[in-house]
Amino acid sequence: SQCMLVAAGGEFLLFDTGDGSAENLMGYGIPFQNLSGIFFTHYHSDHIADFGEVVLGRWLRGGSTPLDVYGPPGIERISEAYQQAYYLDSTYRIAHHGAENLPPEGRKTVPHKIELCGTEYEEREAASQHCTLESRGKVVLDRNGVQVTAFLVHHEPARPAYGYRVDYKGRSVTISGDTVPCEELIHYAKDTDLLVHDAINHEVVQYLSDLYKARGDRFGDRLGHMFGDILDYHSNPNQAINNAADANVTLLVLTHMVPPRRNAVIRRFSRIGWGTKGARNAHWKGEFVEADDGMLWTLKPLPSKEIDQSYVVNN
């Protein structure tokens, strides 16, 4: 499940709200009553499941104004569905605690649909045939010195899917979203300080697919087929490293890892066929790390190009 917070210039911007997002924000002591925007890469459940809990948590902690939410076409439906699902809950809370403590405006969300050239095509090749690279991305927020650019990525049949780049005072963070390698990502991540990139271990997932199919029953065949399907719309670690090298990224952060890194055994198992620097990207002077919940990267102000890595809480 995905959730990343970018804080700069007084803006608190959340990218995706996968399952557990609200609990983690609370556990880390993040003042998410100050949340000023949510950006969705796409609408798979592992990217939106905690949307309602995040908006509710912001309201309960003092958020008193409607929250701006951004995403590909469909964001209006997501926003309205939250409003409907939590409507009764909010009326109970206002009746119990009073509107002076829970201003009704604070529970509302304001959807902002992001439309880019290429989102209308089902095949990824069509976007490059009909749209320039520049038209496949655009600035969607420019406030307090913080600029957010949305750009098209490829996660078909989940379409459209977006990545985002955040620029502030000469430093930058780019979030790939879920995608296969694509020219849009390399273009919009060019020279970024930190790239957070989707990375599925194809070798391990293929092994699990074959293992389920070997059961010889409908249950195994079904799960084996579904595991195999996810290979064709996610990047693997080596592809992520190649993208970082081609974009001249300073630090690559591998995330959305399957299998998830929940314990030492799985972490060791999941490194089978894991990413390495090789001939394809030998020129790259950057580094890559594997992400865990609670990791924090601090980009120091220019002229420094340093990126400090730590944890929100001590692990």
Side-chain angles (χ1 to χ4, degrees), residues 32 42 55 101 108 110 123 147 150 166 172 183 199 235 272 294:
F32 69 111
H42 66 292
V55 177
N101 292 315
K108 296 180 181 180
V110 179
E123 301 298 329
Q147 189 174 85
V166 183
S172 59
E183 61 180 349
S235 299
I272 297 172

Side-chain angles (χ1 to χ4, degrees), residues 32-101:
F32 69 111
Q33 66 271 21
N34 298 330
L35 194 63
S36 51
I38 296 176
F39 295 79
F40 290 111
T41 59
H42 66 292
Y43 303 124
H44 267 138
S45 61
D46 57 329
H47 293 254
I48 67 169
D50 240 17
F51 176 44
E53 290 301 297
V54 168
V55 177
L56 175 64
R58 172 183 178 267
W59 183 43
L60 295 179
R61 280 157 185 75
S64 60
T65 58
L67 178 62
D68 292 317
V69 295
Y70 303 78
I75 188 63
E76 305 98 329
R77 177 178 291 185
I78 298 293
S79 179
E80 177 61 23
Y82 155 74
Q83 296 293 324
Q84 293 298 323
Y86 279 72
Y87 175 76
L88 292 176
D89 173 89
S90 64
T91 62
Y92 303 153
R93 294 180 188 276
I94 293 170
H96 193 188
H97 304 297
E100 68 278 11
N101 292 315

Side-chain angles (χ1 to χ4, degrees), residues 195 197-199 237 240-241 252-257 274 288-291:
L195 171 62
H197 200 303
D198 165 46
I241 292 171
L252 168 66
V253 178
L254 298 174
T255 187
H256 204 313
M257 287 173 281
W274 198 245
F288 72 92
V289 297
E290 301 158 26

Side-chain angles (χ1 to χ4, degrees), residues 20 37 53 95 107 160 185 192 231 244 249 278 283 293 306:
E53 290 301 297
R107 64 169 292 276
L185 174 59
T192 196
L231 297 175
V249 171
H283 64 283
D293 281 352
E306 291 184 27

Side-chain angles (χ1 to χ4, degrees), residues 227-253:
F227 267 107
D229 283 345
I230 71 174
L231 297 175
D232 66 9
Y233 68 171
H234 286 284
S235 299
N236 67 38
N238 285 326
Q239 290 170 330
I241 292 171
N242 289 340
N243 286 342
D246 290 344
N248 192 35
V249 171
T250 301
L251 177 64
L252 168 66
V253 178

Side-chain angles (χ1 to χ4, degrees), residues 252-288:
L252 168 66
V253 178
L254 298 174
T255 187
H256 204 313
M257 287 173 281
V258 174
R261 294 159 44 84
R262 293 199 177 108
N263 59 54
V265 173
I266 294 178
R267 291 183 189 200
R268 185 175 181 85
F269 177 61
S270 71
R271 288 193 63 84
I272 297 172
W274 198 245
T276 57
K277 288 188 181 181
R280 167 73 174 74
N281 46 57
H283 64 283
W284 182 45
K285 299 189 184 326
E287 299 294 334
F288 72 92

